[in-house]
Amino acid sequence: MSIPYKPLNYPARQYYQYGNMRQQPMSYKSLQEALTLIMQAVAGEREDELFYDYLISVAPSQEEKDIIQSIRNDERKHNQMFRTIYQDLTGQAIMAPTDIMFEKPKSYVDGIRKALFGELAAVERYRDIRAGLPDRFYRDMAFEILTDELKHASKYNYILNLDLSRMMGK
């Protein structure tokens, strides 16, 4: 007596008995979902740049300024990559808003915390973008962006640890 195989309920997925070929969907996210998320990511570009410039201006050490500058530069690269992906797939350019303001954090450390959690939230959004892209070329670009975001989160954790060390007098 065998237990019947019960497939998971994913769209366009066909299962066959164990050991036989199975057809899998291209992705669990759609291209349209990915394109919408790319537009949202690019739309926040100017606000992010103002925020990073502010953090750089108030960073207490050159090391921290250099770290945040490297993150900001990566973010500029990511935005260009997202714009390229969007234009390649739609034939249209994304226009970013020009009249952007940003809210200054209460303190440098609050800004670093906000940046850290912003990077982690971006990982989740960019994972969905990657899942909706149609081929390996664009998925690899999104993977590069995703891994940079994880690297940025680690760098912000390092900066928070530097602040903790300063507070403890070490």
Side-chain angles (χ1 to χ4, degrees):
M1 177 170 161
S2 68
I3 299 173
Y5 179 74
K6 183 177 179 184
L8 297 173
N9 191 17
Y10 287 115
R13 187 175 286 241
Q14 297 176 6
Y15 290 92
Y16 301 94
Q17 289 296 78
Y18 178 77
N20 294 332
M21 299 285 294
R22 66 181 183 187
Q23 179 184 358
Q24 293 190 13
M26 293 297 290
S27 177
Y28 68 96
K29 295 289 180 181
S30 72
L31 175 59
Q32 188 54 52
E33 288 172 289
L35 293 172
T36 299
L37 288 169
I38 289 171
M39 284 178 55
Q40 291 170 1
V42 171
E45 147 187 18
R46 182 66 183 137
E47 182 180 355
D48 291 345
E49 191 161 340
L50 291 171
F51 178 66
Y52 289 127
D53 287 344
Y54 171 78
L55 288 177
I56 292 165
S57 74
V58 297
S61 73
Q62 189 59 47
E63 178 185 21
E64 290 167 81
K65 289 178 189 299
D66 292 344
I67 290 169
I68 299 167
Q69 283 173 340
S70 74
I71 292 170
R72 182 201 56 204
N73 294 343
D74 279 351
E75 296 296 348
R76 287 175 177 166
K77 175 187 76 172
H78 300 165
N79 277 287
Q80 187 55 52
M81 291 170 78
F82 277 142
R83 287 174 184 276
T84 298
I85 292 169
Y86 189 89
Q87 186 154 6
D88 285 358
L89 296 175
T90 66
Q92 300 172 0
I94 298 176
M95 296 301 174
T98 54
D99 56 340
I100 298 296
M101 301 291 291
F102 87 104
E103 187 176 326
K104 285 185 182 178
K106 293 177 186 172
S107 68
Y108 171 70
V109 172
D110 283 342
I112 296 297
R113 276 193 210 107
K114 177 183 175 189
L116 169 63
F117 286 101
E119 297 293 327
L120 295 173
V123 168
E124 293 179 3
R125 287 190 309 276
Y126 299 168
R127 183 178 55 203
D128 287 343
I129 289 171
R130 184 188 178 281
L133 294 174
D135 60 47
R136 184 174 179 171
F137 179 79
Y138 297 115
R139 286 179 177 218
D140 285 350
M141 288 175 74
F143 185 74
E144 179 179 337
I145 295 168
L146 268 164
T147 54
D148 280 352
E149 297 298 320
L150 292 169
K151 180 179 71 176
H152 298 165
S154 292
K155 288 180 176 184
Y156 283 127
N157 271 320
Y158 172 73
I159 290 173
L160 288 172
N161 279 311
L162 287 177
D163 184 68
L164 183 61
S165 292
R166 274 193 295 272
M167 286 177 25
M168 297 180 76
K170 294 183 180 185

